[in-house]
Amino acid sequence: MNSDKIIIAIDGYSSSGKSTMARKLAKTIGYRYIDSGAMYRAVTLYAMRHGFIRPDGSVDAESLVASLPSINIDFRVDDNGQQTMLNGEIVENEIRTLEVSNHVSPVAAIPAVRHSLVRMQREMGHTKGIVMDGRDIGTVVFPDAEMKVFCNATPERRAERRFKELTAKGTSVTYEDVLANVMERDHIDMTREESPLRCADDAVALDNSAMTIDEQNDWLLNLYNSITAK
């Protein structure tokens, strides 16, 4: 087997299981896991805290873009797992709320935000040995990644997963609201002008609607083994 480390890019729709798969694979093979979606959520949380999200849900893009140099995002691992850091503060739980989910796609559609985070992501992966998941990792961030996967599942299945995740954390939400959020994010992600969500031409597509977590993790590990064995 080739011992050289590679870049693994896992893209896909909201709540398609890509983060769960990416995190497990990284731990199994000893790579660093980077959750690019958490980075966009952190910027969204920053925007909400500083009043850059207007009452009608629109984004004060000019003010947010001007604040980008003041936003630092990183990750650290502790006894509770991987934690997203926003300017030195752990915000892992805050960025996973439905309120942040409802605003993250418009924030992520702002070109300057994407350019800023892409620079951060490329710096994180310059030594390789990473598993990064998101919407444009294999198409924009690391178009030359040695391994690319694109995840999908039915909107209903993805909403079900997200609903269970939120309620398990004690968040009061309805399945209908979660499904509406999933479908709205799909539309925004696929139709935005800057880096729209799409499957890279050289990515391996996976529909995991009917798969268990263990089954999709095994599928991903087998794919990694087949690629690195060449």
Side-chain angles (χ1 to χ4, degrees), residues 180-198:
N181 173 256
V182 164
M183 297 181 72
E184 179 183 19
R185 290 181 66 187
D186 286 353
H187 175 73
I188 295 174
D189 290 342
M190 291 186 294
T191 59
R192 65 177 179 237
E193 291 186 10
E194 186 76 19
S195 306
L197 172 66
R198 68 177 181 85

Side-chain angles (χ1 to χ4, degrees), residues 111-140:
V113 171
R114 301 202 71 84
H115 296 165
S116 177
L117 293 192
V118 166
R119 285 194 296 272
M120 291 186 197
Q121 291 155 9
R122 286 176 175 163
E123 178 62 26
M124 290 176 178
H126 79 280
T127 58
K128 298 196 174 185
I130 65 164
V131 182
M132 186 177 293
D133 72 320
R135 303 289 197 279
D136 62 350
I137 310 306
T139 54
V140 175

Side-chain angles (χ1 to χ4, degrees), residues 52-72:
F52 300 154
I53 306 295
R54 302 186 181 98
D56 64 358
S58 62
V59 183
D60 181 353
E62 182 177 354
S63 296
L64 178 56
V65 170
S67 298
L68 287 175
S70 302
I71 300 176
N72 179 264

Side-chain angles (χ1 to χ4, degrees), residues 33 51 58 94 116 146 156 166 193 195 201 213 215:
Y33 166 59
S58 62
E94 288 184 80
S116 177
E146 294 87 347
E156 293 77 14
L166 289 170
E193 291 186 10
S195 306
D201 293 338
I213 291 177
E215 287 172 341

Side-chain angles (χ1 to χ4, degrees), residues 10-226:
I10 303 180
D11 291 307
Y13 290 87
S14 169
S15 301
S16 60
K18 59 186 181 297
S19 295
T20 299
M21 294 171 61
R23 186 180 297 108
K24 175 63 175 179
L25 179 63
K27 183 176 181 179
T28 300
I29 65 177
Y31 275 24
R32 186 185 185 196
Y33 166 59
I34 304 295
D35 182 352
S36 76
M39 299 175 73
Y40 286 98
R41 285 174 171 272
V43 174
T44 302
L45 179 63
Y46 182 95
M48 292 167 59
R49 287 178 169 182
H50 289 78
F52 300 154
I53 306 295
R54 302 186 181 98
D56 64 358
S58 62
V59 183
D60 181 353
E62 182 177 354
S63 296
L64 178 56
V65 170
S67 298
L68 287 175
S70 302
I71 300 176
N72 179 264
I73 302 168
D74 204 350
F75 300 92
R76 83 175 192 191
V77 178
D78 60 22
D79 293 341
N80 296 315
Q82 180 159 298
Q83 305 288 338
T84 305
M85 310 290 293
L86 173 60
N87 292 336
E89 174 193 355
I90 296 176
V91 294
E92 186 64 33
N93 291 332
E94 288 184 80
I95 65 172
R96 304 299 176 181
T97 64
L98 187 60
E99 185 179 10
V100 170
S101 296
N102 285 334
H103 296 299
V104 66
S105 289
V107 169
I110 299 171
V113 171
R114 301 202 71 84
H115 296 165
S116 177
L117 293 192
V118 166
R119 285 194 296 272
M120 291 186 197
Q121 291 155 9
R122 286 176 175 163
E123 178 62 26
M124 290 176 178
H126 79 280
T127 58
K128 298 196 174 185
I130 65 164
V131 182
M132 186 177 293
D133 72 320
R135 303 289 197 279
D136 62 350
I137 310 306
T139 54
V140 175
V141 183
F142 295 113
D144 297 324
E146 294 87 347
M147 175 174 163
K148 298 181 185 179
V149 175
F150 189 87
C151 297
N152 194 10
T154 65
E156 293 77 14
R157 183 73 175 107
R158 291 185 282 125
E160 178 186 348
R161 292 169 178 165
R162 181 70 175 144
F163 175 72
K164 289 181 178 178
E165 177 186 351
L166 289 170
T167 54
K169 295 179 179 179
T171 305
S172 179
V173 294
T174 67
Y175 168 80
E176 290 74 18
D177 285 344
V178 175
L179 178 60
N181 173 256
V182 164
M183 297 181 72
E184 179 183 19
R185 290 181 66 187
D186 286 353
H187 175 73
I188 295 174
D189 290 342
M190 291 186 294
T191 59
R192 65 177 179 237
E193 291 186 10
E194 186 76 19
S195 306
L197 172 66
R198 68 177 181 85
C199 180
D201 293 338
D202 54 348
V204 180
L206 171 68
D207 186 324
N208 58 21
S209 299
M211 298 175 76
T212 66
I213 291 177
D214 287 342
E215 287 172 341
Q216 66 182 20
N217 288 343
D218 289 343
W219 179 91
L220 189 63
L221 180 59
N222 289 334
L223 178 63
Y224 165 79
N225 287 334
S226 68

